[in-house]
Amino acid sequence: MIGVLGELLITAGVVTLLYVGWQLWLGDVIYGAQRNAQGQELSQEWEQQYQAATPSATATPDDTAVPDEEAPVTVEPVILPEPADAETFGVMRIPRFGEGYQVPIAGGVSRPRTLDTIGIGHYPGTNMPGEVGNFALAAHRTTYAAPFNRIADLHVGDAIVIQTADGWYTYRFRTLEYVTPDEVEVLLPVPQVENVPAGERYITLTSCSPMYSMTERIVAYGVFESFTPGAAGPPASLTEGVTA
Amino acid sequence: MYAALWHVLPGPWWVRLLILIVLIAAVLYGLLFYAFPWISQFVNPQDVTVG
């Protein structure tokens, strides 16, 4: 009898340790692969739609001419309507985080509906990709696939690309900031500046800091560079690679 | 408990070992993909925006 009890206790101990291992490491690997697969699926779906929408893209002879030397696409970005809670509207790609990094973005920042289950959340009331103002996002830095796990590894000028059903929005990473959790001013149209109408297009990524803690927040800011419509094909920002 | 399980299993030792490995794999799969995700909803009760 005692032997059975002992074995049960040992089993419970092993399962508990397994849980810790899962929560802190293995779960991220499993969830991360799932998120990337979902993001990739969405991305491919959209790319098929882009092509379907432009059947005669190669028909015009002008298009066969040598394109201008890395001409920046200066197309006015399509502004999506704000998504409903937990509605997936985009996929984030950051070449710095690896080729396979393709995380779905959905509306809302609730843990059970968006951050734990989908990936990256869009703060309701902040602007949308390409819009003048602040496109503000949140995601886990540890646990639940940890989309922003390597946020502190970003280098100035790194591409942050948001793909939607309309095309690619390229932002460039500028700077990091560490704040206390109550500093919601980072989400303002001009981050950290009150009562100023925005004239630029910003992206703000927020996550927890330090890792495995919630005492502070780490904030990454970026500025909008260009919008590439789906028909034009993937932007150079995705293929240029990253500096060491 | 585990000794009893070993005796209940049929066949020579290597068949029993094989069955045990399959059993352990099944239990691990159930834990990793069903039990742990379910438990995790209750483990971190603070409903903060980011963790």
Side-chain angles (χ1 to χ4, degrees):
Chain A
M1 228 11 237
I2 297 289
V4 172
L5 186 67
E7 282 180 341
L8 281 176
L9 288 175
I10 290 170
T11 309
V14 169
V15 169
T16 308
L17 281 178
L18 267 175
Y19 179 80
V20 173
W22 173 84
Q23 176 91 74
L24 295 183
W25 171 69
L26 194 55
D28 285 353
V29 176
I30 295 169
Y31 280 141
Q34 286 174 354
R35 303 284 152 79
N36 284 339
Q38 285 159 359
Q40 196 173 11
E41 204 176 301
L42 261 177
S43 169
Q44 279 166 357
E45 205 175 292
W46 284 331
E47 272 165 53
Q48 276 162 14
Q49 285 173 14
Y50 303 154
Q51 279 162 14
T54 52
S56 59
T58 51
T60 45
D62 285 351
D63 285 355
T64 56
V66 180
D68 292 337
E69 201 55 39
E70 288 296 314
V73 184
T74 49
V75 181
E76 193 55 30
V78 177
I79 311 295
L80 287 171
E82 192 165 332
D85 193 49
E87 183 196 340
T88 305
F89 66 92
V91 171
M92 177 178 285
R93 297 185 63 176
I94 299 180
R96 170 73 58 192
F97 296 169
E99 187 76 357
Y101 184 88
Q102 292 178 304
V103 185
I105 311 171
V109 289
S110 88
R111 278 195 51 202
R113 292 187 299 279
T114 302
L115 300 182
D116 291 359
T117 49
I118 297 175
I120 300 169
H122 172 243
Y123 283 100
T126 65
N127 299 94
M128 292 300 287
E131 201 173 354
V132 172
N134 192 2
F135 175 50
L137 303 168
H140 285 290
R141 189 149 172 229
T142 53
T143 70
Y144 297 100
F148 288 173
N149 184 255
R150 294 180 56 201
I151 189 169
D153 295 351
L154 286 168
H155 291 30
V156 172
D158 276 357
I160 301 170
V161 181
I162 314 295
Q163 187 184 6
T164 71
D166 297 300
W168 292 270
Y169 304 76
T170 299
Y171 287 86
R172 294 287 175 181
F173 169 73
R174 296 305 302 168
T175 184
L176 282 176
E177 187 178 24
Y178 294 86
V179 300
T180 51
D182 56 353
E183 277 192 55
V184 292
E185 291 80 13
V186 302
L187 307 176
L188 291 173
V190 180
Q192 296 286 39
V193 186
E194 276 175 86
N195 300 320
V196 171
E200 297 274 339
R201 305 154 207 258
Y202 307 102
I203 189 170
T204 298
L205 316 178
T206 66
S207 197
C208 279
S209 181
M211 280 185 167
Y212 303 106
S213 166
M214 295 194 222
T215 50
E216 292 175 8
R217 295 288 182 272
I218 183 168
V219 185
Y221 297 111
V223 290
F224 184 74
E225 181 181 70
S226 64
F227 171 69
T228 312
S237 53
L238 280 180
T239 50
E240 70 197 1
V242 289
T243 51
Chain B
M1 186 176 70
Y2 292 114
L5 177 67
W6 183 256
H7 288 300
V8 164
L9 291 175
W13 68 269
W14 56 271
V15 174
R16 299 179 189 198
L17 188 66
L18 210 69
I19 297 173
L20 264 186
I21 289 173
V22 171
L23 270 178
I24 291 170
V27 168
L28 277 181
Y29 182 85
L31 284 175
L32 288 179
F33 290 91
Y34 297 98
F36 289 170
W38 179 77
I39 295 169
S40 73
Q41 316 170 55
F42 310 107
V43 170
N44 201 350
Q46 300 132 288
D47 191 9
V48 293
T49 50
V50 203

